[in-house]
Amino acid sequence: MKSIVASLFVLLSLAAGPALAQADTYPSRTVKIVVPFTPGGSPDAVARAVSPGLGQAWKQPVVVENKAGAGGNIGGETVARAPSDGYTLLLSGSGLACINPKLYTKTSFDLVNDLKLVTPLGFVPIVLVVHPAIPARTLSELVAHARSLPGGLTYGSGGVGTPQHLSGEMFTLYTGLKMTHVPYKGNGPALADLMAGQTDIMFSPINSVAPLIKAGKVRAIAAAGSQRMPAMPDLPTIAEAGVAGYDSSLWLAMAVPSATPKDVVDKLDRDVRSVLGRGDVKASLAQQGIEQLAGSPVDFQDMVRKDCARWAKVIADARISAD
């Protein structure tokens, strides 16, 4: 696992120093950020939050292009096959870096070696929510209710192998509950059926579900990450509520083709970090419930290594395959 994760990373020097010729002229034309999912989700929101600031800093257009499909692999392949010059970027994350390499063994590109992560962009908190008709307001009540049902609970997701699906599989593995997965073509349709009472519970990114919680259309039971969410500080985590070790946090990061020159990667990293530090960008991300990551690149590498190991175990134990 260490070798897999290490090959995803370029450890970036943040100190100012003399730039090489390529970074001196980069960028000199339009830069594209490929989002490997449909518009409206957390990756899309992050890309559209940072792209204006990058365009201003570079004095070049920065466009966002959505290329959804195959759990993000279509967009990932687009960037992996692009020239390694810094003009085609990928909004990557837990799915492409940690989950897909274990789910998809038959791909037309190497998920691990053809792409490398550059700059961490933020956490996307996941929330466990239920249909209002479910007679549970705490996790312990939900578990007790689930154990009383002969057929167990049903939970929807945006598709097989998505983080929402694997969050549910992790929950069944950690609790021993019986749950039936109902996959949909996207998070939106899954949430629509949850609100309609066609499914019982769901693990959903906070930016998609927060308005529904506020409107009373679904009920929040617990945060699925390792820490409480600033947007909902009174909501306990699943681990706090009694499921020790549970953590299905998602993270997002900028990625590039693996052969991109280091001086270009360094400049990209510095400029993305600078944009992330702007007040308007922080406010935009906070409004979406997206939390910025603290710590050094080494801290991030360590977090991703542990994350990849955790998801690999869930996939293996639940015997999930997307091929």
Side-chain angles (χ1 to χ4, degrees):
M1 179 58 66
K2 283 188 178 180
S3 61
I4 291 176
V5 177
S7 65
L8 289 168
F9 277 90
V10 54
L11 293 181
L12 301 167
S13 170
L14 302 181
L20 300 178
Q22 287 166 297
D24 284 343
T25 59
Y26 171 81
S28 59
R29 54 184 170 85
T30 299
V31 176
K32 181 193 300 182
I33 301 176
V34 174
V35 176
F37 304 102
T38 55
S42 301
D44 186 65
V46 173
R48 296 183 189 280
V50 301
S51 57
L54 289 175
Q56 292 167 12
W58 292 338
K59 297 181 173 54
Q60 297 292 341
V62 177
V63 299
V64 176
E65 179 179 338
N66 297 86
K67 278 191 170 291
N73 286 353
I74 291 176
E77 181 179 10
T78 296
V79 178
R81 296 285 178 252
S84 300
D85 54 12
Y87 288 91
T88 306
L89 314 177
L90 178 68
L91 207 301
S92 186
S94 307
L96 275 172
C98 292
I99 294 172
N100 287 13
K102 296 298 181 182
L103 285 177
Y104 298 87
T105 58
K106 301 174 183 177
T107 59
S108 58
F109 74 109
D110 189 326
L111 281 162
V112 172
N113 294 316
D114 290 348
L115 297 166
K116 61 184 175 184
L117 301 176
V118 177
T119 308
L121 299 172
F123 269 124
V124 182
I126 301 292
V127 188
L128 169 56
V129 293
V130 303
H131 185 271
I134 296 293
R137 294 186 175 275
T138 66
L139 190 69
S140 60
E141 290 175 353
L142 179 64
V143 170
H145 173 66
R147 296 197 192 284
S148 73
L149 301 173
L153 295 169
T154 58
Y155 74 100
S157 80
V160 173
T162 60
Q164 299 98 311
H165 170 208
L166 295 183
S167 294
E169 291 291 345
M170 184 187 292
F171 191 67
T172 64
L173 291 170
Y174 279 44
T175 61
L177 292 178
K178 180 179 179 181
M179 298 204 306
T180 300
H181 176 224
V182 184
Y184 293 82
K185 292 183 178 179
N187 203 58
L191 278 172
D193 263 15
L194 176 66
M195 289 186 288
Q198 299 301 310
T199 55
D200 298 318
I201 73 172
M202 188 172 169
F203 294 81
S204 177
I206 187 174
N207 67 313
S208 300
V209 79
L212 305 180
I213 296 171
K214 186 175 181 180
K217 295 181 179 180
V218 298
R219 181 186 306 126
I221 296 294
S226 61
Q227 298 180 348
R228 295 194 181 199
M229 303 175 294
M232 302 179 70
D234 294 331
L235 190 69
T237 67
I238 290 176
E240 284 179 318
V243 184
Y246 187 95
D247 178 10
S248 66
S249 300
L250 301 178
W251 50 264
L252 297 171
M254 200 71 81
V256 296
S258 59
T260 303
K262 183 180 184 301
D263 60 312
V264 172
V265 172
D266 286 350
K267 177 173 173 52
L268 173 63
D269 177 69
R270 287 193 299 269
D271 291 345
V272 171
R273 288 177 185 273
S274 177
V275 169
L276 287 171
R278 288 174 36 164
D280 58 334
V281 175
K282 287 183 176 181
S284 176
L285 296 180
Q287 194 171 31
Q288 298 284 335
I290 297 167
E291 304 169 19
Q292 292 198 0
L293 287 164
S296 69
V298 173
D299 294 332
F300 182 50
Q301 181 182 10
D302 184 58
M303 183 201 73
V304 174
R305 181 182 296 110
K306 293 176 181 176
D307 200 38
C308 287
R310 179 168 57 248
W311 288 124
K313 187 175 189 314
V314 170
I315 291 166
D317 290 350
R319 299 180 181 178
I320 305 168
S321 173
D323 288 330

